[in-house]
Amino acid sequence: MSTHLAYDFPLLSMFWTMLWFFLWIMWFILLIRIIGDIFRDDSLGGWGKTGWLVFVVLLPFVGVFVYVIARGRTMGARETAHARARQRAFDDYIKEAAGGGPARSSVDELARLSEIRARGDISEDEYRRAKELVLGGQAPKTASTATGTGDGAARG
């Protein structure tokens, strides 16, 4: 009577090989995530980060298990906070790049219009209409202060 082991059957041997291969891949992914979490955590000081890093690198199996037991509960919260901070930074960058910068004054707009007219890209009539639009945005405010018919004069 002979005993058959799992490696005596080629399909089962391949299954066990694949299982061990994927377990090793999962292990390295977990190790990389833990090292990233150690560096990302702002509540740990320099010595704390160094201690955890040495523990995880020198004794990887024990270090990873102890880290997951001791600090695993808050790993997800730190990951989420980091992702939200990255998203906010990206949104701020997009707003800045899309023209959220300082608004142009009417003087800047008029200078730009004058340059466009000087190049011949717009006609004199188009320049006059654009100039009226630029000054039209400022006209009510400047007219009421110049004539003294603003809110203060109407009440007094």
Side-chain angles (χ1 to χ4, degrees):
M1 234 172 151
S2 70
T3 58
H4 294 287
L5 299 174
Y7 285 102
D8 292 339
F9 300 99
L11 187 62
L12 200 52
S13 172
M14 185 181 70
F15 171 75
W16 283 112
T17 304
M18 294 293 286
L19 179 71
W20 282 110
F21 179 73
F22 285 117
L23 284 175
W24 274 106
I25 288 176
M26 287 178 17
W27 176 259
F28 282 115
I29 289 172
L30 181 63
L31 183 66
I32 290 168
R33 286 187 56 125
I34 286 176
I35 291 172
D37 188 61
I38 290 171
F39 283 111
R40 183 180 306 123
D41 190 7
D42 292 333
S43 66
L44 282 176
W47 287 108
K49 289 180 183 186
T50 303
W52 276 113
L53 195 59
V54 166
F55 190 43
V56 166
V57 170
L58 292 182
L59 297 171
F61 291 107
V62 176
V64 166
F65 288 136
V66 170
Y67 188 86
V68 168
I69 291 169
R71 301 180 48 86
R73 185 172 295 188
T74 57
M75 277 179 69
R78 285 189 295 275
E79 179 84 23
T80 303
H82 183 68
R84 284 185 181 146
R86 281 193 322 237
Q87 185 65 42
R88 272 193 306 271
F90 179 73
D91 291 344
D92 292 343
Y93 171 74
I94 292 295
K95 286 177 187 174
E96 179 183 325
R104 291 185 175 199
S105 68
S106 59
V107 175
D108 294 335
E109 289 293 327
L110 288 173
R112 189 173 63 85
L113 281 172
S114 179
E115 289 173 15
I116 293 172
R117 182 185 60 172
R119 284 194 313 246
D121 292 339
I122 59 174
S123 68
E124 186 65 35
D125 189 44
E126 290 171 328
Y127 171 75
R128 186 182 46 76
R129 280 186 277 151
K131 184 171 122 178
E132 287 174 3
L133 285 175
V134 169
L135 295 176
Q138 298 285 339
K141 188 176 6 172
T142 56
S144 64
T145 56
T147 60
T149 59
D151 291 341
R155 289 186 206 140

